[in-house]
Amino acid sequence: MDKDLYNNPEISNAELVNRDTFERLLAKKRRKKIIRRINYILLSIVLCFVFIIVCMALFLKIEKIEVKGNDRYDKDKIIEASGIRVGQNLYAIDKKKARELIQTEYPYINNVVIRRTLPSTLTFTVTEEEPTYYTEICGEYFILSSSLRVLGKTNVMPKTDNDKRLVKLKLADVKSVILGETVEFDKELSFDYISTFIAEITEHKISEHLTEIDISKKYNIYVEYQGRFRIYMGDNTETEMKLTFAMLMIDKFEPEQSGEVDVHDITVGSVILDK
């Protein structure tokens, strides 16, 4: 209430009390009106959401499923493996579960992006691994990607689809090789050590000519160039410089010559030719 009213001698105490009560009631009425308006707004929002959900459940059905990026596997089989079918609700599907089911069924697929396109289309965009290496364990051959993901298993020397020979990979401390999963090692550091070395080799132009990588001994790494020269790398340090140095030396020899190249110390590289 205005302070001047209390200081006005012409206004009695009774009038002051009545005015004070009236103003409190008026303020209370305003608050109720504001609260009522807020409640109406919140209720409207909730009803809108309910309406949208009901519409999605009733009308947004999958009518078309597309598959992109698949070269190795048939699109209908990929869709079947996902567990998703035409007629299901577009927003009721479990994308994570569908992705896992596809990757479990088809190891060469290392990623699946599932997108909804309103009003009724679902699109699978798959990324397939390329077979790059193979390793032999207990008489069986396991086909590996550049990231050491297990793509397949065979009892005969594996080759790619275009009959290109894969690079042989000699490993140690292997704990498990499970189809569709990355090779697991007994020691945690082994994977980091090996994958780092392989990644550096893959980026070098020599990778196109390698026939074998022997990383079974951590500090005695060998790579084989065109099946002719066995290159001694030592450990996985200065990989790029060692490979470049090795190629400079190999290029000086005739195509029919072979031997061993030592580049573990890039200051004193050497070549011993086969007789």
Side-chain angles (χ1 to χ4, degrees):
M1 179 181 290
D2 194 340
K3 291 181 179 179
D4 292 336
L5 293 175
Y6 287 96
N7 298 325
N8 192 337
E10 296 180 0
I11 300 176
S12 66
N13 289 336
E15 289 177 314
L16 288 173
V17 170
N18 288 336
R19 289 194 180 191
D20 187 46
T21 302
F22 175 75
E23 289 185 1
R24 284 202 304 269
L25 289 172
L26 191 61
K28 186 176 181 181
K29 187 176 181 180
R30 288 197 194 99
R31 287 197 298 271
K32 285 184 176 180
K33 188 175 181 180
I34 292 171
I35 292 171
R36 193 180 300 114
R37 185 173 297 174
I38 293 172
N39 287 335
Y40 283 149
I41 293 171
L42 292 175
L43 180 61
S44 299
I45 293 172
V46 171
L47 289 174
C48 285
F49 273 114
V50 171
F51 177 75
I52 291 170
I53 292 170
V54 170
C55 287
M56 288 168 55
L58 293 176
F59 304 111
L60 297 181
K61 303 287 186 180
I62 300 172
E63 295 180 7
K64 183 180 179 182
I65 303 177
E66 298 177 339
V67 180
K68 298 179 180 179
N70 59 308
D71 291 324
R72 183 175 294 272
Y73 302 117
D74 181 74
K75 68 174 185 177
D76 292 331
K77 291 184 177 180
I78 293 174
I79 294 170
E80 185 180 352
S82 73
I84 298 173
R85 301 290 181 267
V86 170
Q88 287 183 261
N89 183 269
L90 195 62
Y91 284 88
I93 60 172
D94 188 336
K95 294 197 291 184
K96 182 180 177 182
K97 183 179 179 181
R99 187 182 304 112
E100 290 174 351
L101 288 170
I102 292 171
Q103 290 178 286
T104 300
E105 184 71 20
Y106 301 111
Y108 278 83
I109 296 177
N110 75 330
N111 190 36
V112 184
V113 177
I114 302 175
R115 287 192 175 92
R116 304 176 180 95
T117 304
L118 295 177
S120 58
T121 301
L122 195 68
T123 303
F124 297 162
T125 302
V126 304
T127 304
E128 296 181 350
E129 293 269 24
E130 285 296 325
T132 307
Y133 306 105
Y134 76 91
T135 190
E136 184 180 359
I137 300 175
C138 299
E140 292 184 312
Y141 299 98
F142 293 88
I143 301 170
L144 309 176
S145 70
S146 58
S147 61
L148 300 185
R149 189 163 174 266
V150 184
L151 305 179
K153 182 177 73 171
T154 176
N155 294 321
V156 297
M157 187 72 70
K159 294 181 181 180
T160 61
D161 292 340
N162 57 5
D163 209 35
K164 179 182 176 182
R165 191 174 292 277
L166 300 173
V167 178
K168 184 177 182 179
L169 194 60
K170 289 186 176 181
L171 303 170
D173 301 323
V174 175
K175 183 178 181 180
S176 66
V177 279
I178 300 172
L179 207 60
E181 298 183 12
T182 302
V183 176
E184 189 176 351
F185 296 87
D186 287 325
K187 302 173 184 176
E188 267 186 45
L189 292 177
S190 293
F191 178 78
D192 294 332
Y193 187 91
I194 293 170
S195 59
T196 299
F197 178 74
I198 289 176
E200 290 176 349
I201 282 186
T202 303
E203 293 175 0
H204 198 280
K205 61 181 180 181
I206 199 174
S207 62
E208 300 175 2
H209 305 284
L210 294 183
T211 50
E212 183 179 302
I213 299 174
D214 184 351
I215 198 168
S216 58
K217 295 179 181 177
K218 198 170 183 179
Y219 299 104
N220 288 284
I221 300 172
Y222 285 87
V223 298
E224 190 176 82
Y225 180 85
Q226 293 183 339
R228 298 190 298 123
F229 284 94
R230 189 168 166 80
I231 304 171
Y232 176 58
M233 304 282 292
D235 57 21
N236 72 340
T237 60
E238 300 179 311
T239 301
E240 183 180 357
M241 293 182 66
K242 289 175 181 177
L243 294 173
T244 301
F245 189 27
M247 287 191 70
L248 288 172
M249 289 190 285
I250 291 172
D251 287 343
K252 295 179 180 178
F253 297 98
E254 299 297 327
E256 67 275 4
Q257 291 182 295
S258 61
E260 183 166 314
V261 180
D262 187 344
V263 290
H264 84 281
D265 183 349
I266 58 175
T267 63
V268 289
S270 63
V271 179
I272 301 176
L273 293 176
D274 294 333
K275 296 180 179 179

